[in-house]
Amino acid sequence: MAHIIKILDGFSFIPRAELTVLEALEQQNVVMEYQCREGFCSSCQVNLVDGEVTYTTEPIAFIPEGKILTCCCQPDSDLIIEIPGGCTIKKP
Amino acid sequence: MPLNQRSDRCQQANTAQTIPAEQTMTYTTFNQAQFDAIKEPMFFGQNVNVSRYDIQRYPVFEKLIEKQLSFFWRPEEVDLTTDRRDFIALPEHEKHIFLSNLKYQILLDSVQGRSPNVALLPVVSLPELETWIETWAFSETIHSRSYTHIIRNIVTEPAQVFDDIVTNEAITKRARDITRYYDDLIAGVSLYHQFGEGRHTVNSEEVEISITDLKRKLYLTLVSVNVLEAIRFYVSFACSFAFAERSTMEGNAKIIKLIARDEALHLTGTQHMLQLMAEGKDDPEMAVIARELQDQARQIFIDAAEQEKDWADYLFRDGSMIGLNRDILGQYVEYITNQRMNAIGFEPAFAIKQNPLPWMNSWLNSDNVQVAPQEVEVSSYLVGQIDSAVESEDFSNFSL
């Protein structure tokens, strides 16, 4: 079932099911921080305001409560997330 | 120090008063006591005896070790012949930027190649953490070797570059702040191992040794290590990648990419240690210390950011480079400092919200770190990770 991702102070969208949250956000042209893209650098962390995610690979980085590592998780329900520094759209 | 002076000092130290035997905690390389290793705290518990990984208090350190091992690389795999031509063609002020950054990184990795071992191994209490510290420091020695590889390839007199590191004021000024927390901890721990807790007179000086105080020193050391790996390195990375963005010094950028991948892993290790301490489940006293020292720890981040901005002044004193100048690099320092503070639960110190160098991410991405042209090394590759369970029915389609 498709889930909705809502970005606080941003917009909502329905991601393609096979994408990680990071890939889904990038596909929407949201400016995202990343480095390793495999769960150990914690650059792509965002606040999870509401919802559940499943990790596709188990992350090594320390994930504080209330945060998710977007590079290695997929939505398990509708999500409300908050991007540190705000939601910025990439200029074409 | 001449030998005779040193033995004088030793003698003086040996005359220290008040050494109740039960208070001395001499380090032992193989602790004969029987204890449950999984109940020990990360630091200042029992000395480790058996290096065993069948049971682990914090499996994350084992995962870090495995990841680090899968990252193994050798500097010589990266070809630098075009870098030599590129370097000769650089204008003087850009040569200054390039070499200064390299010198600074040499200093940082010289420190990191030995200090985690010297400072942390004598007080560590968990086998998986002990091995992580050793693995971590070892990978820093590869970085040091890669700088020699780079310098040998691009300049005719490598010694001039290396010799300048200990005399160059812009570099030595920062070396003090990088090493002082390490040195403080090492000095404190060695006194503790000699005399144990209590008040002692050493070299006619009154010293008070307490585990609590050593734990404070340890906490500040880890914060300053985190700053070193998570902020200071990234200033040099930014310059290296700025060169490569213009398709120059690309071999160097490949090496820096490999170093950046390692450093991202190391800083995760340090963040785990700091967070475990702050939570208090590992050692309740550590949580009290983390709260007590939060302002001081925050200040270490802010001071380092200011120092790195000063360094940007020095780098660009004779002129900027295309795509990077003092102001932009300064903003990047603030941005990355905020990110790192956030990661260990500190309130960010600077107003900046957006990454002023968005192209850094794709350079830092380690998904496909290409070493030799004929091989793309996938970083998650692990030897022996194939499914070896073969049942006889797997051959049912075969007929002879």
Side-chain angles (χ1 to χ4, degrees):
Chain A
M1 198 189 94
H3 299 297
I4 301 169
I5 298 182
K6 180 182 178 184
I7 311 168
L8 275 193
D9 300 322
F11 59 95
S12 303
F13 66 99
I14 299 175
R16 271 168 43 204
E18 71 276 15
L19 300 181
T20 63
V21 176
L22 177 63
E23 287 164 345
L25 289 164
E26 284 174 339
Q27 213 170 53
Q28 299 294 320
N29 287 320
V30 176
V31 177
M32 284 297 292
E33 278 301 315
Y34 66 86
Q35 181 173 341
C36 72
R37 301 184 80 99
E38 50 179 308
F40 66 83
C41 77
S42 77
S43 302
C44 62
Q45 229 174 60
V46 301
N47 298 328
L48 180 64
V49 182
D50 192 39
E52 300 282 329
V53 293
T54 317
Y55 283 96
T56 47
T57 41
E58 209 188 327
I60 300 182
F62 184 90
I63 310 170
E65 239 176 75
K67 309 221 176 199
I68 52 168
L69 269 198
T70 55
C71 71
C72 49
C73 72
Q74 291 180 333
D76 232 7
S77 69
D78 292 351
L79 301 183
I80 303 178
I81 59 167
E82 186 187 13
I83 301 169
C87 174
T88 318
I89 306 298
K90 218 176 274 175
K91 291 179 196 97
Chain B
M1 185 190 300
L3 254 182
N4 55 350
Q5 261 184 37
R6 184 180 292 190
S7 68
D8 274 4
R9 264 182 64 153
C10 286
Q11 263 175 15
Q12 274 182 22
N14 286 338
T15 59
Q17 296 153 1
T18 59
I19 317 170
E22 69 275 9
Q23 274 186 21
T24 54
M25 271 296 292
T26 315
Y27 179 78
T28 170
T29 44
F30 189 82
N31 188 356
Q32 306 252 342
Q34 284 185 16
F35 57 92
D36 189 353
I38 209 159
K39 293 206 172 72
E40 291 302 304
M42 290 191 287
F43 297 99
F44 292 108
Q46 295 271 356
N47 290 145
V48 183
N49 49 21
V50 182
S51 294
R52 58 185 287 183
Y53 317 101
D54 58 331
I55 41 166
Q56 294 152 15
R57 179 155 184 194
Y58 302 115
V60 70
F61 294 113
E62 172 77 4
K63 286 189 199 138
L64 286 165
I65 295 165
E66 296 216 344
K67 199 81 180 165
Q68 183 68 70
L69 292 177
S70 78
F71 285 175
F72 183 79
W73 57 282
R74 296 184 47 161
E76 294 76 16
E77 290 164 17
V78 182
D79 179 51
L80 293 173
T81 40
T82 55
D83 286 53
R84 185 181 173 79
R85 273 205 309 276
D86 291 347
F87 184 75
I88 293 167
L90 289 181
E92 278 311 310
H93 72 277
E94 290 194 346
K95 280 186 185 154
H96 164 75
I97 295 169
F98 185 86
L99 282 183
S100 301
N101 266 317
L102 207 52
K103 287 175 194 168
Y104 185 33
Q105 278 182 266
I106 293 170
L107 164 77
L108 295 180
D109 272 312
S110 304
V111 171
Q112 279 306 93
R114 69 177 72 98
S115 313
N117 285 346
V118 182
L120 305 179
L121 290 185
V123 294
V124 73
S125 300
L126 294 174
E128 69 271 22
L129 180 54
E130 184 185 50
T131 310
W132 163 244
I133 292 167
E134 290 170 313
T135 312
W136 160 28
F138 168 66
S139 82
E140 308 281 13
T141 67
I142 297 177
H143 304 173
S144 293
R145 295 174 59 75
S146 72
Y147 302 136
T148 299
H149 177 59
I150 295 169
I151 288 178
R152 263 196 201 132
N153 273 278
I154 62 166
V155 298
T156 38
E157 290 289 343
Q160 281 174 3
V161 179
F162 287 113
D163 293 346
D164 185 52
I165 296 169
V166 282
T167 50
N168 183 323
E169 207 189 316
I171 293 177
T172 50
K173 214 168 67 187
R174 294 181 313 162
R176 206 187 93 77
D177 254 39
I178 291 160
T179 53
R180 70 184 169 123
Y181 296 101
Y182 268 132
D183 292 349
D184 233 28
L185 175 66
I186 292 167
V189 168
S190 84
L191 283 175
Y192 169 69
H193 282 154
Q194 236 176 327
F195 307 119
E197 281 190 283
R199 190 179 286 276
H200 311 285
T201 314
V202 183
N203 292 340
S204 40
E205 257 177 59
E206 193 77 355
V207 285
E208 170 96 42
I209 303 163
S210 77
I211 289 283
T212 310
D213 184 48
L214 291 178
K215 283 181 182 171
R216 282 195 197 105
K217 289 185 160 76
L218 172 69
Y219 183 76
L220 292 177
T221 302
L222 287 176
V223 170
S224 106
V225 171
N226 191 233
V227 164
L228 188 161
E229 291 178 329
I231 299 169
R232 294 185 193 270
F233 265 118
Y234 280 75
V235 177
S236 300
F237 294 165
C239 293
S240 293
F241 296 144
F243 278 112
E245 275 279 299
R246 292 158 38 191
S247 304
T248 183
M249 308 304 291
E250 286 179 305
N252 172 71
K254 260 184 205 175
I255 289 185
I256 298 301
K257 216 171 161 167
L258 289 161
I259 293 177
R261 181 180 66 173
D262 289 341
E263 291 308 332
L265 196 63
H266 301 167
L267 77 91
T268 291
T270 323
Q271 283 171 351
H272 269 289
M273 288 180 231
L274 287 169
Q275 291 280 10
L276 286 168
M277 285 173 174
E279 276 177 358
K281 279 179 224 149
D282 177 66
D283 175 355
E285 194 183 17
M286 237 22 224
V288 178
I289 289 172
R291 267 198 304 277
E292 222 177 75
L293 295 177
Q294 207 193 17
D295 287 344
Q296 211 177 328
R298 258 182 74 86
Q299 201 56 44
I300 293 177
F301 276 89
I302 295 165
D303 290 348
E306 293 307 326
Q307 279 178 357
E308 294 308 314
K309 286 192 260 178
D310 289 347
W311 175 247
D313 279 343
Y314 172 76
L315 285 180
F316 300 120
R317 63 174 187 186
D318 304 324
S320 305
M321 56 190 285
I322 301 166
L324 199 58
N325 62 29
R326 194 177 59 193
D327 293 340
I328 299 176
L329 192 55
Q331 287 166 19
Y332 182 68
V333 170
E334 292 189 354
Y335 176 77
I336 198 111
T337 306
N338 274 357
Q339 258 208 333
R340 304 316 189 193
M341 293 178 87
N342 198 32
I344 59 163
F346 287 6
E347 197 58 39
F350 300 100
I352 188 160
K353 293 255 189 257
Q354 273 174 37
N355 189 349
L357 302 177
W359 44 262
M360 276 288 280
N361 286 341
S362 54
W363 282 102
L364 288 168
N365 177 23
S366 51
D367 236 10
N368 287 310
V369 179
Q370 190 174 1
V371 182
Q374 74 275 19
E375 82 172 59
V376 174
E377 182 199 359
V378 179
S379 54
S380 53
Y381 174 83
L382 273 175
V383 176
Q385 293 296 95
I386 47 167
D387 183 6
S388 56
V390 182
E391 304 292 333
S392 52
E393 64 188 59
D394 293 330
F395 297 102
S396 56
N397 293 336
F398 288 87
S399 57
L400 290 172

